[in-house]
Amino acid sequence: MIFTVIIPARHASTRLPGKPLLDIGGWPMIRHVHERAMRSGAASVYVATDDQRIAEAVRQFSDNVVLTSPDHQSGTDRVEEVARLLGLADEEIVVNVQGDEPLIDPDLIGQVAEDLAAHPEAGISSLYESLAEGDAPQDANLVKVVTDEMGFALYFSRSVIPWQRASEATAVNLKRHIGIYAYRVATLRRFVTWPPADLERKERLEQLRALVNGVRIHMSRACVASSGGVDTDADLQRVRALLAEPWAE
């Protein structure tokens, strides 16, 4: 099973400007993400960015960086452009790994690609895990997903789904979506031609655009716990403490 990893990385960030270039243990954040993607079993790993500063930083450790259009509205659009520029065939699999996840486990990257390969009726695959004890189910930053008996997504929401009686409510009964995706290239090409869906705008969840256009998304329970991305300075300090030194070359 062959797949390509594409890491979209942008310089503009409201809370942490220049996030992919922030230093963690002597490396820019984007290098940590790249190194973990390289250990996933991917045939190749590319960074997609519209910022020359990020491109120059990536070229210090890899030639696989692609400058993309500055007009993209999402990382998915950026990933599709790179897949197109690389001439990837419709049936090939691309994994979108976010550029702000320096702790991502390589096994999760390989798992989502393998899951899509194992479900030819799906155009996209992704992962979930149970909410941890102490997580607030009502937290809108924790995206929930419900699936059918075969593991295909029925809906994603920032609200609590499915609804639970107060006496039965428990975080571990809910599936928290992990934001990593594998796409068939043909699905990517269709996706970027569709306008944002009404549900997508209301929930602020791009994957709903695929569902409302009939794309099946297969979900699997993550094989290892997810690490979460770097969205705040507190996240950055936590990651710096865990990755005080880069891996040996």
Side-chain angles (χ1 to χ4, degrees):
M1 193 272 298
I2 297 173
F3 65 95
T4 299
V5 171
I6 300 177
I7 307 169
R10 64 190 186 96
H11 196 274
S13 172
T14 303
R15 288 181 283 188
L16 290 173
K19 184 161 50 172
L21 300 180
L22 294 175
D23 183 87
I24 300 175
W27 284 359
M29 184 187 301
I30 190 65
R31 183 168 183 179
H32 287 279
V33 182
H34 183 275
E35 289 295 313
R36 288 181 175 246
M38 289 289 290
R39 294 159 51 196
S40 69
S44 53
V45 177
Y46 289 85
V47 174
T49 184
D50 62 357
D51 192 276
Q52 190 65 244
R53 290 163 292 187
I54 295 175
E56 290 174 359
V58 173
R59 290 189 185 108
Q60 299 303 307
F61 57 86
S62 173
D63 292 330
N64 288 354
V65 58
V66 180
L67 277 168
T68 60
S69 168
D71 300 325
H72 291 315
Q73 298 300 306
S74 72
T76 308
D77 296 313
R78 210 174 304 285
V79 168
E80 188 279 333
E81 181 182 353
V82 174
R84 178 164 28 91
L85 292 173
L86 293 176
L88 299 183
D90 283 354
E91 67 276 8
E92 292 192 59
I93 292 174
V94 168
V95 178
N96 179 346
V97 174
Q98 298 302 311
D100 61 0
E101 295 206 29
L103 296 177
I104 190 167
D105 194 302
D107 288 345
L108 292 179
I109 301 172
Q111 180 187 5
V112 75
E114 290 171 2
D115 186 66
L116 184 57
H119 294 87
E121 65 272 49
I124 302 173
S125 65
S126 193
L127 304 175
Y128 69 87
E129 61 188 2
S130 296
L131 267 69
E133 289 188 23
D135 284 343
Q138 296 80 12
D139 186 348
N141 293 312
L142 301 176
V143 177
K144 278 70 73 173
V145 60
V146 289
T147 61
D148 65 18
E149 294 297 325
M150 296 178 291
F152 289 96
L154 295 172
Y155 193 64
F156 298 84
S157 182
R158 297 183 182 276
S159 299
V160 176
I161 53 170
W163 175 80
Q164 301 178 62
R165 292 181 177 85
S167 61
E168 300 173 346
T170 170
V172 297
N173 288 339
L174 301 176
K175 296 175 179 177
R176 184 178 78 84
H177 179 223
I178 299 172
I180 182 172
Y181 300 92
Y183 299 88
R184 298 191 195 283
V185 171
T187 301
L188 261 181
R189 289 179 176 148
R190 293 162 57 209
F191 185 93
V192 299
T193 67
W194 298 323
D198 183 53
L199 288 174
E200 172 188 356
R201 289 193 294 266
K202 289 176 177 176
E203 293 270 15
R204 291 185 293 114
L205 296 174
E206 191 182 49
Q207 62 269 37
L208 291 174
R209 189 188 315 179
L211 284 186
V212 301
N213 283 282
V215 175
R216 303 188 78 186
I217 303 176
H218 192 266
M219 306 293 301
S220 288
R221 183 177 294 276
C223 60
V224 295
S226 64
S227 58
V230 174
D231 294 314
T232 65
D233 186 66
D235 294 335
L236 178 62
Q237 300 312 319
R238 173 179 63 90
V239 171
R240 280 175 170 164
L242 291 169
L243 297 177
E245 297 293 335
W247 301 290
E249 295 183 4

